[in-house]
Amino acid sequence: MAAHRARLRAAWQAGRADGRLNPCDVVAIAREAAPPDAIMTTDVGSHKIMAGQVWQAREPRSVLIPNGLSAMGFGVPAAIAAKLIRPDQPVIALVGDGGFAMTATEMRVASALGVPVTVVVFADNSLNRIELRQQAMGYPPTSTRIPGTDLAAMAEAMDCDGVRVQDAAGLEKALAGLGDRSAGSRPLVIEARVDPAQYEVQF
Ligand SMILES: Cc1ncc(C[n+]2csc(CCOP(=O)(O)OP(=O)(O)O)c2C)c(N)n1
Ligand SMILES: [Mg+2]
């Protein structure tokens, strides 16, 4: 098992480049920051595949990933529901910018209910999973590029904390104290400006 895990982890890092925020970095930093009892949810897209491959679950029911039908729009509400049910456990959602756009206003519900979830948005200005499939079929990106939104400002407008990060150090800082975000904290949205180039090597 250990050898298999090591091979998987090495393959999962293929395409990673120094000097930019790679998708695998976001997952690794989030896992490092999350206490063992943390509950993690994902949305659907390239970020989900990166997270699902190496996120180590340390407790039953601590990883909530939609598969099969894989409906986008799951990650944020699933995180809010998880936090409502398990208020003593930290909850972190890893979502794409497309999926976040579909569910972002749920953050207003989270702040209204005082549910301090942490949401990390893989901001790549793309419906990446679909854009890569278009690319593989020789098509140009068609309706898969999405303009960037100031997600930190959007979060603040919904009475949440919001921060934009561009590199690993920024993300580490934003996620520090993840386990201490208690009942009095506001929900947190982290706009992680990832470089999606690694996905082209991965998928
Ligand atoms: C409700 C719904 N609509 C469409 C899809 C098809 N789909 C799968 S992944 C994806 C793009 C996701 O984009 P984003 O949330 O930005 O994640 P990324 O792939 O960029 O990490 C789409 C449109 C889906 N799975 N669910
Ligand atoms: Mg995206």
Side-chain angles (χ1 to χ4, degrees):
M1 281 301 287
H4 176 70
R5 280 209 181 106
R7 270 200 310 276
L8 179 61
R9 193 161 184 102
W12 175 79
Q13 286 175 320
R16 186 191 172 281
D18 285 335
R20 60 187 189 209
L21 188 57
N22 303 272
C24 75
D25 300 333
V26 178
V27 179
I29 292 167
R31 188 67 195 100
E32 189 66 29
D37 65 338
I39 295 173
M40 185 277 278
T41 75
T42 75
D43 211 73
V44 176
S46 298
H47 66 282
K48 171 183 110 170
I49 302 175
M50 294 307 290
Q53 289 183 56
V54 301
W55 189 275
Q56 205 167 7
R58 300 199 191 269
E59 294 202 356
R61 297 174 178 269
S62 64
V63 172
L64 304 175
I65 298 180
N67 228 336
L69 285 177
S70 293
M72 290 166 71
F74 173 86
V76 170
I80 296 169
K83 187 70 181 165
L84 281 169
I85 292 167
R86 301 273 173 82
D88 296 334
Q89 291 175 238
V91 177
I92 181 169
L94 304 180
V95 307
D97 44 4
F100 188 69
M102 294 165 72
T103 54
T105 50
E106 298 299 322
M107 296 308 293
R108 188 66 190 94
V109 177
S111 63
L113 296 179
V115 181
V117 293
T118 297
V119 177
V120 180
V121 183
F122 288 60
D124 57 7
N125 289 8
S126 168
L127 300 172
N128 184 269
R129 190 89 280 272
I130 306 304
E131 185 179 343
L132 286 187
R133 289 172 72 164
Q134 290 171 337
Q135 191 175 301
M137 295 174 79
Y139 297 131
T142 306
S143 303
T144 44
R145 293 272 170 88
I146 47 181
T149 298
D150 185 342
L151 299 182
M154 192 178 177
E156 292 286 347
M158 292 190 285
D159 205 21
C160 299
D161 291 334
V163 59
R164 172 184 284 181
V165 302
Q166 322 256 13
D167 54 27
L171 183 58
E172 281 164 11
K173 187 165 165 237
L175 283 173
L178 174 67
D180 304 326
R181 294 188 76 83
S182 57
S185 311
R186 297 204 300 178
L188 170 64
V189 176
I190 300 172
E191 176 186 344
R193 301 293 327 167
V194 296
D195 185 330
Q198 186 193 15
Y199 291 142
E200 293 186 34
V201 178
Q202 287 284 325
F203 309 131

